[in-house]
Amino acid sequence: MKFSVVNARLFSSFIKVKNYPKDLFLIPQNSSKYAVSFLPDLKSSSGIIGWVDARKNLVGDNSLVVDDINPAEFTENKEFETLLHKVIAENIPDDKITQSFALHQKEGWLNINDSRVFSHWGRVSDPEDIFGSIMLEKGVMIPGSYQRMPTHRFVSLNGLFQTSDFIHEKLLEKIKS
């Protein structure tokens, strides 16, 4: 890990996670805890992905770059988890990437996979890497049928969760509103 607590201010700090394609921000909560968010300023706690222990999780050489977030030192925000699954449930039928998978599979339950780990077509991702599933009929996702996977982990040994760009944008819209 390569982040120094010395760089923390009384405002949010941009942090780049090498293995993560989106911007993340650390927001000091107290002398040892930082909130992790996609936005530098928040209107509510539902925009906080979770918290990291700055002393154990982000240590290093005064840069604002880390290799990854340590799952053992990350605490999920249940309020954000609820918001994330609500956004997925409401918007996944309009996601072009997921629509293409639905057209190929045609029938049954389609897993909505976390993008942090690539799963070859026809392979089932590890349970910690599946957001949930949605029912298909004739290649069309059935609105309202999304079921979240209780074993999904925000942070695993493969890093912080990743959604499609479309779902990420919808999530940011919801957090900002």
Side-chain angles (χ1 to χ4, degrees):
M1 299 297 167
K2 296 181 178 173
F3 175 80
S4 173
V5 177
V6 174
N7 287 325
R9 306 282 190 269
L10 294 175
F11 52 88
S12 62
S13 299
F14 171 76
I15 182 173
K16 180 63 184 160
V17 177
K18 286 183 184 177
N19 301 321
Y20 199 74
K22 311 285 191 234
D23 292 342
L24 292 173
F25 294 86
L26 291 181
I27 303 167
Q29 302 292 289
N30 57 44
S31 63
S32 64
K33 290 279 184 198
Y34 290 84
V36 179
S37 178
F38 291 124
L39 300 174
D41 51 352
L42 300 170
K43 294 183 179 182
S44 75
S45 61
S46 64
I48 296 172
I49 299 166
W51 298 270
V52 292
D53 184 325
R55 293 170 296 181
K56 295 180 182 176
N57 197 299
L58 305 169
V59 206
D61 65 359
N62 294 328
S63 73
L64 290 174
V65 178
V66 298
D67 293 324
D68 230 326
I69 295 174
N70 182 349
E73 302 297 332
F74 180 83
T75 305
E76 292 179 8
N77 178 3
K78 296 299 182 189
E79 189 178 351
F80 180 86
E81 181 180 27
T82 299
L83 177 70
L84 172 65
H85 285 285
K86 179 178 181 187
V87 168
I88 293 172
E90 291 174 354
N91 295 285
I92 202 68
D94 298 322
D95 184 87
K96 299 293 184 202
I97 293 171
T98 309
Q99 287 174 353
S100 65
F101 287 129
L103 285 171
H104 185 76
Q105 183 173 321
K106 301 282 187 220
E107 298 290 329
W109 288 94
L110 175 67
N111 286 341
I112 308 303
N113 292 323
D114 191 317
S115 300
R116 67 181 158 210
V117 176
F118 176 75
S119 295
H120 292 282
W121 179 251
R123 297 279 195 180
V124 177
S125 295
D126 290 337
E128 69 181 17
D129 294 324
I130 301 172
F131 288 114
S133 300
I134 191 163
M135 179 60 90
L136 303 177
E137 286 183 8
K138 298 179 184 171
V140 176
M141 289 175 269
I142 306 303
S145 67
Y146 174 79
Q147 301 281 319
R148 69 196 279 178
M149 176 69 84
T151 55
H152 178 261
R153 293 181 62 198
F154 275 20
V155 178
S156 73
L157 294 177
N158 295 309
L160 183 66
F161 74 89
Q162 295 179 35
T163 63
S164 67
D165 290 341
F166 176 78
I167 295 296
H168 185 76
E169 289 305 314
K170 294 296 182 182
L171 183 59
L172 291 180
E173 288 173 16
K174 190 63 113 174
I175 294 169
K176 291 175 184 177
S177 65

